């Protein structure tokens, strides 16, 4: 994607300078439109408007959740049956999809130098253990086993991501004794399993400094999995063992977690009814600001159906203890290459409000859903307080009470390095995601098996469900009607052979579309001409594609209008770095993406273009570079006003580019700062070949420079071969699909693509082989 060495301020200044030079003195509007009176940076105002719109949609999400639930509170059995579809949806978006591995019991982790017994406390021993979870991924941590009598309950105690199991057991420093809840529960007679979580350590990973959690999140998210889902699976694998080990007896299984551990306890218990009681500490909150939390908590479409109250309601009628306590607090600053984020202690009033919402959601359930709010020192006190532990333990074993603290735990190993275990856990997860990447092409093939290519007619009929799926489940579709466009314009350019207008139109409340319309001056009365929509790339401006703009575009919009095409250059959202990237995060929370907004903008633009007397509405083509090429793969499949699409400097094995962690592949986005780029579950559904199938049978072309750093030639050729096979071998329309290879970098070449436009937009080539741009 296009990178710039100049600052944003300089970029904006340059844009204004170009605009000022081009502006015609009269600023007259295009006939049929109102005068455009907006001042300042319209692109910035566009981004700000979308931000307001998304925040409004997030706020509305709470009220919109009810339509997804059909709760039957007449009995616990009927209640659980009535929310089964919600459980399946939650498992899907968390990526809880891989079959878990059956096992007889955890494996003791030890060596000839260091036995698995790593500690002793009052009434319990501590063992280092590992247990199979899914595929070849294991959970790992500590197992606390009572030394006398039968355990009163089985507990999975989950620390925060920046705590080790040893800390909450009391084997090493880091957690105050009164908050060592795993130790306290073991002293009280529970068998306690403490899993290790992936930490939040920030480390340089090629081109970006990422937390360990974000690093693993990136690949998993693209492949329909999630770090949260992976860790939930490890917890549920432990539940599997507890149930199996108990046999016919009641296993009495409880989950307790703090911070990230509280998150996992809440999700796991919402999914699995075998868990008898849950305690969530330092986490429970309103999720309306989830887009500000670490990106590894970004769950696609979470707020469409679920807030913490809804998740808590899925635990009902099982006991749930919420401890309002000081939570993990951190800030990940911008500029590192990872997603900026912050964690703060949940406000007590927000915790209370969410608990009240949960009670309202399950009102009438018999027996009543026991949710208990324990407030530790006004909501900012230490976690694992005595009242919280007592409420949790008695919910598992009514006759049990927490034992008095037995004091320090003896740590037997002389040397202990938790990073060795951490690296092992990271490697297993990364290895699994990379295996999924290699399998993904076969998963997509299975997904597309209902596409009938026996005839062009059958193809067009059977591709429609895939188009709907792409819009609804991958891109995300707003349930909003387009506003009347209310088009405003002003003359910005008056050149010898063409005239240019700045154009603004309404799309949704607070959302506008903005761009520049270029009209040749030799259009005869009654003549209708084809249009080429020329799309800029990352951090670009609508003016960049004109002569004198960024060199990568080769002034292609100006060259096309000089050839007699009508041209429109839209301003897309991907501008201002973190300002636009946080739009993706806000969108993801409500099952949307940047393109959920960009698609309606292009729909409105092309609907308006079709209405112009100079335009042939059946001959509107799309041509985009870089992020504009990314747009070429996502917008034309959903905006049928586009009769063709050209993807320049972007087409490749997109899923691999987003998910590969191979250290030899510098092209992968895993190593770079575009943290918004990852799209949930593309690996199982749509790579670029499948997106191109949604463009077919319309003409489609790829423009590729051999030295383009987006991807190597072999990735491009591999993916394009599948598109060519569809067009030529299966549909018999090979003349509709082309690729141009040229010796050059990340740029518009403007040779074969221009021929393609003249051919498929049915517009004659100029008599001269070379056109000199008139300034």
């Amino acid at each position: 994607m296009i990178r710039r060495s100049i600052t944003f301020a300089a970029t904006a200044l340059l844009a204004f300078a170009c605009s000022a030079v081009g502006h015609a003195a009269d600023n007259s509007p295009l006939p049929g439109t109102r005068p455009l009176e907006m001042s300042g940076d319209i692109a910035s105002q566009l981004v700000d408007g979308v931000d307001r719109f998304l925040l409004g949609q997030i706020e509305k999400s709470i009220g919109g959740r009810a339509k997804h639930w059909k709760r039957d509170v007449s009995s616990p059995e009927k209640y659980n049956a009535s929310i089964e579809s919600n459980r399946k949806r939650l498992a899907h978006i968390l990526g809880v999809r891989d079959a878990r591995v059956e096992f007889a019991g955890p494996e003791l982790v030890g060596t000839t130098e260091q036995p698995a017994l790593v500690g002793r406390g009052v009434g319990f021993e501590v063992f280092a253990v590992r247990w199979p979870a899914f595929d070849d991924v294991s959970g790992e941590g500590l197992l606390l086993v009572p030394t006398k009598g039968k355990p009163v309950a089985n507990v999975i105690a989950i620390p925060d991501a920046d705590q080790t199991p040893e800390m909450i057991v009391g084997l090493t420093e880091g957690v105050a004794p009164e908050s060592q809840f795993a130790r306290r529960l073991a002293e009280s007679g529970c068998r306690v399993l403490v899993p290790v979580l992936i930490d939040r350590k920030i480390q340089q990973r090629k081109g970006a400094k990422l937390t360990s959690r974000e690093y693993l999140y990136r690949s998993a998210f693209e492949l329909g999995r999630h770090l949260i889902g992976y860790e939930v699976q490890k917890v549920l694998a432990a539940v599997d063992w507890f149930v199996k080990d108990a046999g016919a007896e009641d296993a009495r299984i409880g989950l307790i977690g703090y911070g990230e551990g509280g998150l996992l306890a809440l999700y796991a218990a919402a999914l699995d009814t075998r868990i008898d009681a849950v305690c969530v500490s330092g986490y429970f909150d309103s999720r309306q600001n989830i887009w500000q939390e670490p990106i590894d908590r970004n769950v696609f479409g979470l707020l469409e159906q679920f807030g913490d109250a809804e998740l808590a309601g899925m635990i009902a009628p099982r006991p749930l203890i919420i401890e309002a306590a000081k939570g993990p607090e951190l800030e990940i600053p911008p500029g590192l290459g990872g997603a900026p984020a912050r964690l703060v202690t949940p406000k007590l009033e927000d915790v209370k409000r969410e608990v009240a919402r949960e009670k309202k959601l399950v009102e009438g359930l018999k027996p009543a859903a026991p949710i208990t709010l324990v407030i530790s020192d006004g909501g900012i006190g230490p976690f694992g307080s005595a009242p919280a532990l007592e409420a949790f333990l008695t919910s598992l074993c009514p006759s049990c009470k927490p034992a008095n603290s037995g004091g320090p735990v003896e740590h037997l190993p002389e040397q202990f390095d938790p990073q060795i275990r951490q690296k092992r856990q990271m490697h297993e997860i990364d290895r699994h995601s990379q295996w999924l990447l290699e399998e993904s092409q076969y998963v997509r093939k299975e997904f597309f098996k209902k596409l009938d290519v026996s005839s062009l007619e059958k193809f067009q009929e059977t591709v429609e469900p895939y188009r709907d799926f792409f819009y609804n489940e991958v891109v995300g579709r707003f349930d909003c009607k387009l506003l009347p466009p209310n088009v405003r314009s002003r003359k910005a350019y008056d050149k010898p052979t063409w005239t240019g207008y700045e154009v603004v139109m309404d799309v949704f409340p607070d959302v506008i579309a903005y761009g520049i319309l270029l009209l040749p001056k030799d259009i005869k009365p009654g003549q209708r001409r084809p249009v080429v929509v020329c799309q800029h790339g990352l951090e670009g401006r609508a003016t960049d594609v004109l002569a004198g703009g960024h060199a990568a575009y080769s002034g292609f919009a100006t060259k096309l209008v000089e050839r007699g095409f009508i041209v429109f250059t839209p301003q897309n959202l991907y501008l201002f770095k973190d300002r636009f990237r946080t739009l993706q995060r806000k969108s993801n929370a409500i099952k949307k993406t940047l393109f959920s907004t960009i698609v309606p903008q292009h729909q409105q633009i092309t609907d308006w273009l079709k209405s112009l007397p100079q335009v042939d509405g059946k001959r509107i083509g799309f041509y985009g570079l870089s992020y504009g090429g990314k747009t070429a793969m996502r917008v034309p499949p959903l905006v049928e006003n586009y009769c063709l699409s050209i993807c320049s400097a972007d087409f490749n094995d997109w899923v691999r580019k987003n998910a590969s962690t191979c250290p030899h592949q510098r092209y992968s986005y895993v190593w770079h700062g575009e943290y918004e780029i990852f799209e949930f579950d593309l690996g199982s559904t749509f790579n670029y070949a499948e997106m191109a199938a949604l463009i077919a049978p319309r003409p489609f072309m790829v423009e590729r420079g051999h030295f383009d750093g987006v991807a190597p030639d072999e990735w491009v050729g591999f993916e394009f071969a599948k598109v060519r096979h569809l067009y030529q071998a299966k549909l018999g329309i090979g003349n509709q699909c082309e690729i141009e290879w040229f010796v050059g970098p990340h740029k518009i070449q403007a040779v074969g693509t221009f021929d393609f436009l003249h051919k498929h937009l049915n517009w004659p080539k100029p008599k001269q082989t070379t056109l000199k741009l008139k300034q």
Side-chain angles (χ1 to χ4, degrees), residues 666-685:
R666 62 184 175 85
Y667 310 98
S668 175
Y669 276 123
V670 172
W671 310 117
H672 297 287
E674 289 88 347
Y675 59 81
E676 89 293 346
I677 208 82
F678 307 95
E679 297 158 283
F680 184 64
D681 208 15
L682 278 192
S684 304
T685 55

Side-chain angles (χ1 to χ4, degrees), residues 600-708:
Q601 287 175 317
H602 279 258
Q603 187 68 55
Q604 192 79 305
I605 288 167
T606 55
D607 284 348
W608 174 69
L609 287 171
K610 287 175 64 176
S611 74
L612 296 180
Q614 308 96 323
V615 169
D616 182 346
K618 295 181 180 180
R619 291 188 289 165
I620 302 177
F622 186 95
Y623 187 177
L625 174 88
S626 195
Y627 225 113
K630 179 175 162 71
T631 307
M633 300 309 302
R634 289 157 181 80
V635 170
L638 302 177
V639 177
E640 294 188 3
N641 288 339
Y642 286 121
C643 71
L644 63 78
S645 182
I646 300 175
C647 177
S648 178
D650 184 71
F651 189 91
N652 70 99
D653 185 347
W654 184 256
V655 171
R656 184 170 302 278
K657 181 172 175 62
N658 283 271
S660 175
T661 58
C662 174
H664 306 296
Q665 293 176 351
R666 62 184 175 85
Y667 310 98
S668 175
Y669 276 123
V670 172
W671 310 117
H672 297 287
E674 289 88 347
Y675 59 81
E676 89 293 346
I677 208 82
F678 307 95
E679 297 158 283
F680 184 64
D681 208 15
L682 278 192
S684 304
T685 55
F686 293 89
N687 203 341
Y688 272 9
E690 288 78 22
M691 292 183 200
L694 302 182
I695 297 172
R698 292 169 288 172
F700 173 70
M701 184 173 182
V702 170
E703 185 177 41
R704 163 69 186 180
H706 286 299
F707 299 111
D708 191 331

Side-chain angles (χ1 to χ4, degrees), residues 44 81 159 228 246 316 429 467 490 505 519 567 621 635 665 728 766:
S44 182
I228 292 173
I429 288 175
R467 191 186 318 279
R490 62 183 170 219
M505 62 192 76
L519 293 173
V567 173
V635 170
Q665 293 176 351
Q728 182 167 342

Side-chain angles (χ1 to χ4, degrees), residues 70 379 479 706:
K70 307 295 180 185
D479 187 21
H706 286 299

